[in-house]
Amino acid sequence: MSNSLYLFPAQPHAAPPPRRAVREVLGELGCIAGPLTGGGFAVGQAFLQLVTFAGCSPHLVFTPPAPGSRDFCHLELLGPYRAARMYTGPHTAGPRCPHCNARLRAWQAMQEAWQAGSAWPCPACGQAATVERWRWRRQAAFGRLLIVVRQVFPSEGVPSDRLLTALAEATGTTWDYAWAA
C-alpha cells in the first residue's frame, strides 16, 4: 500500500463535479501529461509548481521502476461514485470531536454508519457530527470524485493555492486535501 495525496471537494456528499472539467483543468495547468498504460496520468511540466514538496530530501520517482509497476509519482482520478467514499491509511489516528476535542478511538467500526449517512456521536460529550466534520488532521479523504497523487509521503506534498483555486473555479466548489494510503 502506498502513501498518496488526495484532493477532493470539501462537500463530500454533494453531487461530484464533472470528471471532464477536473481532467481539463489539470491538463491546462500542466499538472498532468498524457494518460498512462493501466490508468492514471503522468505528471505534467508544471506539477512541481502546483504541488509543493517539503522535507529535507523528498524522493520522487516520476517513471515506473519496472515495466507494469505503479510505484512512482503519478495522478489518478477516482470516481465519480454514487455515494461518498472514505480513504484513510493504516496509521490514521482517531479523529477529535469538533465540539469538545475528545479523541474517538473506535472510528473504524463506525465507517459503515457514515456510508449510510449517519453522524458519529462523541463518547465524551454526546454531540454528534458527520464524519468529515471530525478533526482528522488531514489523515482522511472523503468524496465522490477525488484526485490522487500516488507515492507522496504524508505531509510531504501539499497542493498549491493556485491548484486549489483553479479546481474551485473550474468546478464551482471548494477543494480540500489529505494524505492516506
Side-chain angles (χ1 to χ4, degrees):
M1 193 176 290
S2 66
N3 293 307
S4 299
L5 168 65
Y6 286 75
L7 290 81
F8 49 94
Q11 300 299 318
H13 296 287
R19 185 181 172 103
R20 171 178 259 180
V22 173
R23 183 178 176 185
E24 285 176 2
V25 73
L26 293 173
E28 289 168 4
L29 289 170
C31 190
I32 59 171
L36 298 167
T37 302
F41 300 91
V43 300
Q45 64 186 13
F47 174 77
L48 291 173
Q49 287 79 46
L50 297 167
V51 179
T52 304
F53 287 87
C56 55
S57 177
H59 179 70
L60 298 170
V61 176
F62 293 116
T63 57
S69 173
R70 303 299 282 169
D71 293 335
F72 66 101
C73 188
H74 63 282
L75 286 83
E76 296 176 9
L77 292 178
L78 302 181
Y81 301 118
R82 291 174 54 97
R85 295 191 180 183
M86 179 178 178
Y87 295 87
T88 61
H91 304 291
T92 299
R96 293 196 174 272
C97 175
H99 305 287
C100 73
N101 208 37
R103 185 171 303 280
L104 180 61
R105 304 236 181 257
W107 64 270
Q108 293 94 336
M110 300 175 75
Q111 286 185 25
E112 197 172 302
W114 176 72
Q115 288 296 122
S118 299
W120 289 359
C122 175
C125 72
Q127 296 274 351
T130 57
V131 70
E132 62 274 6
R133 290 208 40 233
W134 283 77
R135 295 188 186 122
W136 290 92
R137 298 186 64 192
R138 299 205 181 278
Q139 294 183 27
F142 313 94
R144 294 178 58 191
L145 180 83
L146 303 96
I147 301 167
V148 186
V149 184
R150 299 287 185 199
Q151 298 297 321
V152 174
F153 193 76
S155 301
E156 194 172 83
V158 178
S160 68
D161 288 342
R162 179 176 170 220
L163 176 55
L164 293 174
T165 299
L167 287 166
E169 289 173 355
T171 62
T173 188
T174 305
W175 285 68
D176 203 355
Y177 66 96
W179 301 278

